[in-house]
Amino acid sequence: MENIFLTWQDNIKEEYRRMMAETASAITAAFTDDRAYAGPTPQELKEIIHVEDILPEKGEGWEKVLSRLKKQILPNFLRTPSTDYMAHLHSAATIETIASELIISTFNQSMDSWDQAPVATEIEVEVIKKLCAIYGYNAKADGVFTSGGSQSNQTALILARDCFINEKLNYDVKKYGLPADFRKLRMYTSEISHFSMEKSAHVMGMGYESVVKVPVDHRQRMDVNALQSLIESDIKAGNIPYCVVATIGTTDFGSIDPVKEISGICTKYGMWLHADAAYGSGVILSKKYVDRIAGLSECDSITVDFHKMFMMPISCSAVLIKDGRNFDALTIHADYLNREEDEEAGYTNLVDKSLQTTRRFDALKVWVSFQTRGQDGWSDLITKCMDNAAYLYGKLKEDKDYDVVTEPEISSVVFRLSPSFCGKLGSEGKAGEANSPERYDNQAETCDDVNKRVRRALIHEKGVVIGQTVCKGSVYLKFTLLNPLLSYDKLDQLLTLIKSLA
């Protein structure tokens, strides 16, 4: 039973150092080139990773397991630091935050009660205070770390609903559950907002029908006139508008809803305004682009994700609430956990604000990275990602072989090989193989098919991982540019590569 945990004993400390060093060596050895992915198909991967028994009768020991990791697993990981990876809102992790993860995992604090995480609790409290200040909130504000944007959004929507019902309908949701007319409650969000709005509505017992999808304009931003009209129609129909969600960086386009105009509408009708800034929250640290998210401080709550533009390991998110008293909706005391007498004596139990009970010390990553890089360092990183998107958009607009949807506001660019380019393939065959009968006989391959095929070829032939989505019924490709190491030359090369693969 020795060598199970890290303890004060010298021989165990040495074992810990050895295993961590061996692991670090194996990880670094797996980075052999800049490819984002080694290329195996799903079926090939199933064969590569297969072992006879994941839970054998007798353990094989660390050395054999490490050898298997080196051979079967590590070479086939997606390498998020690669400049060939740009598929999703899923960034590489800065080195200092990876070091933070080692600390977090080793000490294994649980953020529900002070006596399970003394220093960790105090650090999270301080980090939340700083975040509230960064986003323009005053001392009344509060927040809590969560597992990700979906949980941050759900937390905000629960607090929005309970606050509205308690104050406007004079009914205690926490004590009695939903009121009799709860089916009339309505929240409003862009038609291209994150699916966590519907999922939250379902979990909250209100159903998808309570979520009203608002059309977007040509810039993929919420149409404020349509929002106003939908709210007025619902009021006339006897429904109860209680919340608007402004998306600060839509998943596909990175578009930013007009917060100031939406805030005016929410004030007019007495509604809660939540900002889903899971993607765009990082823009706050860009000295060049910060004005693009002006008005966030007018929102009643804000979702902030650190495992997107802030380039920290998954998971790391927070929800900030303009009036911290609204967290009372989630507070319930238990004698075994968050005793009232302890809190009266100055012990902070963060479970009072959280949907989760057991929770990781993710605030350490923010604390470490903010101090390590400072405002200037973070501004440079985030600005470079946004500059890359602006450059790529310019190149696509100049090239008639591509269609591009909209000018990026953050760092996502949605485009496709154009119908005219794909039509040339239909008449001429593959590049370098004129009149090839394999793919283009009778022009059977549509423009959508070409774009889909190119994305697959990038993954499995070139180790390049990009995104794919649908816009107005057509298939589009997507670059989500969250890697500041990406150069303009590399972007040019990728556009050329896409054409050649087509």
Side-chain angles (χ1 to χ4, degrees):
M1 297 294 287
E2 294 182 358
N3 300 352
I4 299 178
F5 312 120
L6 175 62
T7 69
W8 59 272
Q9 296 165 292
D10 289 341
N11 63 318
I12 304 298
K13 290 180 182 179
E14 181 56 37
E15 183 74 354
Y16 175 88
R17 282 191 289 267
R18 181 182 67 83
M19 291 181 69
M20 296 307 108
E22 289 175 350
T23 303
S25 178
I27 291 169
T28 53
F31 282 78
T32 56
D33 54 43
D34 193 41
R35 287 163 62 100
Y37 180 57
T41 64
Q43 186 55 46
E44 289 168 341
L45 263 185
K46 288 179 174 64
E47 295 174 4
I48 290 170
I49 68 164
H50 180 72
V51 293
E52 291 303 317
D53 192 349
I54 288 179
L55 183 62
E57 185 68 27
K58 292 182 181 290
E60 296 182 335
W62 166 248
E63 283 71 22
K64 285 188 177 179
V65 172
L66 179 61
S67 176
R68 189 166 292 149
L69 280 167
K70 290 178 181 179
K71 182 179 179 182
Q72 296 170 261
I73 311 299
L74 297 183
N76 295 301
F77 266 113
L78 181 74
R79 300 182 195 122
T80 54
S82 168
T83 55
D84 282 340
Y85 180 66
M86 55 195 74
H88 301 283
L89 290 170
H90 174 197
S91 67
T94 62
I95 293 176
E96 75 274 5
T97 57
I98 295 171
S100 302
E101 281 284 353
L102 179 60
I103 297 170
I104 292 167
S105 298
T106 299
F107 285 94
N108 201 32
Q109 311 292 278
S110 182
M111 302 303 297
D112 36 336
S113 62
W114 192 93
D115 60 2
Q116 294 180 84
V119 72
T121 295
E122 302 301 343
I123 288 289
E124 178 166 324
V125 169
E126 290 300 309
V127 171
I128 288 291
K129 284 181 183 177
K130 182 60 179 178
L131 291 174
C132 288
I134 287 173
Y135 289 95
Y137 283 171
N138 62 28
K140 293 196 312 180
D142 203 352
V144 69
F145 275 75
T146 73
S147 64
S150 292
Q151 189 180 84
S152 289
N153 288 335
Q154 184 181 345
T155 301
L157 292 173
I158 290 171
L159 300 185
R161 181 198 64 186
D162 286 15
C163 177
F164 181 90
I165 293 174
N166 290 352
E167 293 183 3
K168 305 293 184 181
L169 305 182
N170 196 30
Y171 183 89
D172 190 340
V173 179
K174 187 174 178 179
K175 188 173 182 180
Y176 300 112
L178 293 173
D181 55 356
F182 76 92
R183 294 186 186 278
K184 297 179 180 180
L185 291 167
R186 294 291 182 268
M187 73 170 83
Y188 303 81
T189 186
S190 152
E191 63 182 343
I192 57 172
S193 66
H194 195 258
F195 67 82
S196 57
M197 307 314 156
E198 287 94 332
K199 288 187 75 171
S200 296
H202 170 211
V203 173
M204 290 161 62
M206 296 160 54
Y208 290 177
E209 288 190 358
S210 69
V211 182
V212 180
K213 290 304 191 78
V214 182
V216 295
D217 62 19
H218 69 285
R219 295 291 304 275
Q220 308 301 314
R221 299 177 293 192
M222 185 186 289
D223 185 327
V224 177
N225 292 328
L227 172 65
Q228 173 92 25
S229 178
L230 287 166
I231 292 172
E232 290 176 353
S233 296
D234 269 325
I235 291 173
K236 288 178 182 177
N239 293 320
I240 307 172
Y242 81 96
C243 177
V244 178
V245 178
T247 306
I248 313 302
T250 55
T251 305
D252 276 340
F253 306 102
S255 44
I256 299 171
D257 290 339
V259 173
K260 290 185 176 180
E261 291 91 333
I262 295 170
S263 176
I265 292 173
C266 288
T267 299
K268 178 179 178 180
Y269 294 103
M271 301 167 67
W272 182 290
L273 175 55
H274 173 60
D276 175 11
Y279 179 7
S281 50
V283 179
I284 200 78
L285 294 186
S286 169
K287 294 175 182 178
K288 181 176 179 179
Y289 294 111
V290 63
D291 288 347
R292 293 190 179 180
I293 59 169
L296 276 188
S297 60
E298 298 180 26
C299 300
D300 296 289
S301 52
I302 306 170
T303 287
V304 180
D305 262 16
F306 298 99
H307 50 234
K308 292 183 173 68
M309 289 201 85
F310 287 100
M311 307 169 208
M312 299 187 195
I314 296 169
S315 60
C316 197
S317 180
V319 59
L320 309 178
I321 308 296
K322 192 171 190 176
D323 185 345
R325 292 175 297 180
N326 286 303
F327 274 120
D328 289 346
L330 300 180
T331 301
I332 184 170
H333 287 94
D335 292 337
Y336 54 81
L337 188 64
N338 55 337
R339 294 163 290 274
E340 290 185 79
E341 68 266 21
D342 284 351
E343 293 177 3
E344 291 169 358
Y347 293 87
T348 300
N349 297 309
L350 295 176
V351 73
D352 291 350
K353 301 184 290 184
S354 176
L355 291 177
Q356 295 172 270
T357 303
T358 302
R359 187 166 56 82
R360 302 176 78 250
F361 179 27
D362 291 318
L364 182 66
K365 291 177 280 194
V366 180
W367 189 89
V368 168
S369 68
F370 277 18
Q371 293 200 33
T372 299
R373 298 189 181 271
Q375 294 182 34
D376 287 345
W378 274 110
S379 179
D380 291 345
L381 294 176
I382 292 169
T383 297
K384 181 61 167 67
C385 294
M386 298 176 72
D387 284 345
N388 278 341
Y391 173 82
L392 177 62
Y393 174 76
K395 297 294 288 189
L396 290 165
K397 287 289 287 183
E398 294 171 359
D399 192 334
K400 293 181 180 180
D401 290 336
Y402 287 106
D403 289 339
V404 60
V405 175
T406 186
E407 184 175 358
E409 292 190 89
I410 306 181
S411 63
S412 291
V413 185
V414 178
F415 65 98
R416 65 173 176 170
L417 290 162
S418 67
S420 60
F421 178 83
C422 296
K424 288 189 291 185
L425 294 178
S427 61
E428 299 171 7
K430 276 192 295 187
E433 296 182 25
N435 300 316
S436 168
E438 292 85 11
R439 293 191 185 277
Y440 299 105
D441 188 32
N442 299 320
Q443 298 189 22
E445 190 177 49
T446 67
C447 188
D448 283 356
D449 293 334
V450 173
N451 283 283
K452 289 178 182 179
R453 175 170 55 77
V454 166
R455 187 184 72 88
R456 291 275 182 89
L458 285 168
I459 296 173
H460 299 298
E461 296 176 22
K462 303 297 181 181
V464 177
V465 186
I466 69 171
Q468 177 183 308
T469 189
V470 173
C471 180
K472 297 180 180 178
S474 297
V475 171
Y476 278 78
L477 306 174
K478 180 174 67 169
F479 281 11
T480 307
L481 304 173
L482 296 177
N483 190 332
L485 300 180
L486 196 60
S487 67
Y488 293 169
D489 285 345
K490 181 61 175 283
L491 291 170
D492 291 342
Q493 292 166 17
L494 288 170
L495 293 182
T496 301
L497 176 61
I498 286 171
K499 286 189 194 181
S500 70
L501 288 173

